[in-house]
Amino acid sequence: DSSYGLGISVVDGSVTADRYVYDKVAKKVVQQIVGSKKVEERLRLVEGGGVRTISIEDVARQSALSLSMEQLKELVNLVEAVEKAYRIPIDI
């Protein structure tokens, strides 16, 4: 599952995340479901830090996939490296 910004909004349910299913045997994406992403959580890069919630006003961005195919392929490569290192399947 994926959304813009930090993963907080996926975990707390404030967005309906995009869902990607990747078949490791066939080495291809077998399912992509676009979620509804109306907010984005970002770190505050100022003194005191914290997290800020930003409303996503652009309807096209709300309904666009949050990962590009290039980003998804990079994530698949990282998962494969973790699985190889730990010698067990990992669900990330």
Side-chain angles (χ1 to χ4, degrees):
D1 292 350
S2 171
S3 187
Y4 303 119
L6 302 173
I8 297 168
S9 56
V10 174
V11 174
D12 72 12
S14 59
V15 299
T16 302
D18 299 335
R19 171 150 292 186
Y20 300 88
V21 178
Y22 183 80
D23 183 329
K24 293 187 286 189
V25 175
K27 300 219 179 269
K28 66 178 185 177
V29 176
V30 294
Q31 185 179 47
Q32 293 182 109
I33 300 172
V34 179
S36 174
K37 302 165 295 290
K38 295 183 180 179
V39 295
E40 176 178 354
E41 305 286 343
R42 292 187 185 174
L43 290 175
R44 290 185 185 188
L45 301 177
V46 295
E47 191 174 328
V51 175
R52 65 183 172 145
T53 301
I54 300 169
S55 292
I56 300 173
E57 303 296 333
D58 181 357
V59 176
R61 187 164 184 251
Q62 289 176 10
S63 59
L65 287 168
S66 55
L67 294 175
S68 67
M69 235 353 118
E70 183 178 305
Q71 291 170 317
L72 194 54
K73 287 178 184 178
E74 184 177 342
L75 185 58
V76 166
N77 291 337
L78 291 169
V79 170
E80 288 175 346
V82 170
E83 289 181 338
K84 184 177 179 182
Y86 285 95
R87 298 181 189 161
I88 59 171
I90 302 290
D91 181 17
I92 296 179

